[in-house]
Amino acid sequence: AVTVAQQAENATAIESLQSKHDEMVAEMKTEHQAELDKVSSQSEQALEALKHDHATAISTMQSEHEDGISTLETKLATQQESAHAELEQVRSTHDEATEKQRTEHESAIADIRKEHEEATAAMQEKIEAETTEKEQQSQREDEFGRVQAEQEKAIDALQ
């Protein structure tokens, strides 16, 4: 039979074991919580680092995209300026050729007019000379006819 003293000793031992168990559980809970806090803190730091890296990568991509767009816009503007300059050169060349043709055309027309005027003047002079000669011939014929008529009158008068 278990004596009261043994029961008291057992109760004390049980209480002591219970107390040590409770202390160990509390200590383990504290260590476990500390470990959880440490892991949680590391996870939050890793997550923040990933967020920062992600934001940096997005910012870099946006910057590169904007640089690419800017480069394309610059190339497009350069191509447009080049095309405009070529168009202006073509227009200028066309305008110069058109002006040259117009000048040559006007010069040819002026030459033709001058030749026409000279030919007309020469023809007019010829016509006037022929007319003058015909008038003179006509006057001579009239004079000859008058003289002949006078001679015939004189001959008739003498007969």
Side-chain angles (χ1 to χ4, degrees):
V2 177
T3 63
V4 172
Q6 283 179 332
Q7 282 182 350
E9 248 181 66
N10 285 344
T12 303
I14 288 175
E15 283 180 17
S16 174
L17 283 173
Q18 185 66 41
S19 176
K20 283 182 182 178
H21 178 263
D22 289 345
E23 285 176 15
M24 285 177 62
V25 168
E27 188 177 313
M28 285 176 66
K29 280 184 179 180
T30 301
E31 288 174 5
H32 184 67
Q33 187 61 47
E35 193 64 32
L36 282 175
D37 290 346
K38 180 181 173 185
V39 168
S40 178
S41 175
Q42 288 174 344
S43 294
E44 287 178 15
Q45 289 174 355
L47 183 60
E48 286 301 316
L50 286 173
K51 284 180 181 178
H52 181 275
D53 290 347
H54 184 68
T56 300
I58 288 173
S59 176
T60 300
M61 286 172 53
Q62 285 176 335
S63 178
E64 289 172 354
H65 176 72
E66 289 170 1
D67 289 347
I69 293 295
S70 177
T71 300
L72 288 175
E73 287 173 342
T74 301
K75 283 181 181 178
L76 179 60
T78 301
Q79 288 174 347
Q80 286 176 336
E81 289 172 7
S82 177
H84 182 71
E86 288 178 30
L87 178 60
E88 287 302 315
Q89 181 62 40
V90 168
R91 282 183 181 157
S92 176
T93 302
H94 176 265
D95 291 348
E96 289 171 7
T98 301
E99 181 62 23
K100 181 179 177 187
Q101 286 178 345
R102 187 185 63 75
T103 301
E104 289 172 356
H105 182 71
E106 288 175 353
S107 177
I109 289 172
D111 290 347
I112 290 170
R113 281 187 179 148
K114 182 177 178 184
E115 289 175 13
H116 176 72
E117 288 170 2
E118 289 172 354
T120 301
M123 186 63 77
Q124 186 67 33
E125 287 177 14
K126 184 177 177 185
I127 290 171
E128 287 174 3
E130 288 176 359
T131 302
T132 301
E133 191 168 314
K134 283 181 183 177
E135 287 174 355
Q136 289 173 353
Q137 180 68 27
S138 179
Q139 286 175 357
R140 283 193 293 265
E141 287 174 1
D142 289 347
E143 183 66 25
F144 178 76
R146 190 182 56 74
V147 168
Q148 191 175 17
E150 285 178 8
Q151 286 176 350
E152 286 177 6
K153 279 186 192 177
I155 289 173
D156 285 339
L158 288 173
Q159 290 177 356

